[in-house]
Amino acid sequence: MRFVLYCRPGFEKDCVAEAHDQFASLGWDGYPEIHGEHGIVSYNGTPFDPENPRSSEIPYAANFIFTRHILEQATVVKELPAADRATKLAEALLKSTKFRNFRELVLEFPDTNEGRALANFCKKFHPAMGNALKRSGFTLDRGNHNAPAVHVCFLDYENAVMGLSWKKRSSPWRSGIPRLKFPEEAPSRSTLKLDEAFLTLLTEEERNERLQGGGTAVDLGASPGGWTYQLLERSFFVTAVDNGKMAESLMATGMLDHKSEDAFKFKPKTPVDLLVCDMVEKPQRVIELVARWFKEQQCTWAVINLKLPMKKRFAEVEACQLAFWELSGLTEDKFEIRCKQLYHDRDEVTLVLIPKPKKAKR
Ligand SMILES: C[S@@+](CC[C@H](N)C(=O)[O-])C[C@H]1O[C@@H](n2cnc3c(N)ncnc32)[C@H](O)[C@@H]1O
């Protein structure tokens, strides 16, 4: 089966490296195809190991670091005729899937400047595509949440990828992108990273349990205060550690203590609930520091951002996760690392380090 994976444009190689790893762990063999620098990658997979109890599983977008969204039973359609793109696309879909009912038709475009220029075209093309699907024998079954959505993602006017997504496995956001509103009072755009991490890497139960009643937090590398802003909004008492200044508006809340110190030397007087860290530093150094906080039981959970200026980013993130397990003394039966390149992350990924939920699943 062919899958189409959406990632941040420019991160196609990391997406492929991770896809090999993820599919292999489910007993799938496969080869990738990168469709230019659009953030769109195909993975042609075959389950090769029937003995693997997980071989019938299909991966969830939420479990990937560099993949935002996954299309299943996908196909690539090239040389679309300008006079009638829709019929060729519908015919291609007839061949790539046996499903004939769909709950929604989604027209998409790459998350690039050239891609966004296709937005208007997609809007206008929607009725023609819907009609072509009907003519080819597909039925729109709008209320049926078990039916797949049909996605057509135009790479340009002549080439597209298309496939299906199911609600239970795919991202809840269009093209896997949560669009968050920038709060005007926040001192930096980085604020959206922490907001998105809370939204996408925590369960609803965890948000209720860990974010609603306030608590204590330390923000390492906090200046000018975009992350601290999110914590104060959720009623945390925050200690911000950074030689840089914190925004006056945040200091005025009375809920913030600013320490002009080196984060690698700072030690809290008493343990805190939450540690957050967004320092521009080598990922391995950050992981060592954060693992020490857990080893010394100075925090219960953490949200950290790792900067990835190097080429082999997937390998680096894997190495950091391994180092965390080794250095923190924590184990996977009780604790979890959730890692994602968020939409608001650039050359970086965000990790939530948290005790395993007792029952709820994401
Ligand atoms: C990307 S900025 C943080 C932005 C912040 N999270 C926000 O939302 O406004 C990185 C910060 O890390 C701080 N930093 C880097 N190394 C540090 C260290 N060793 N100790 C304390 N702060 C450090 C820098 O001064 C800089 O303010």
Side-chain angles (χ1 to χ4, degrees), residues 187-194 219-229 241-246 259-265 276-281 285 289 305 307 348:
S188 70
R189 286 205 72 79
S190 293
T191 199
L192 291 174
K193 287 188 278 183
L194 190 57
D219 184 352
L220 300 178
S223 167
W227 283 35
T228 292
Y229 169 86
V241 185
D242 200 310
N243 281 316
K245 275 192 156 186
M246 295 301 287
K259 307 273 188 206
S260 281
E261 285 180 38
D262 180 354
F264 289 90
K265 297 193 179 132
V276 302
C277 176
D278 184 29
M279 272 191 291
V280 182
E281 246 304 340
R285 251 198 115 196
L289 174 67
N305 186 275
K307 317 291 170 193
E348 50 198 0

Side-chain angles (χ1 to χ4, degrees), residues 109 111 116 173-175 177-181 199 343-344:
F109 42 85
D111 182 33
R116 281 185 281 277
W173 294 281
R174 181 157 291 220
S175 307
I177 298 176
R179 310 236 168 233
L180 302 176
K181 196 168 177 300
L199 181 66
Y343 176 63
H344 295 95

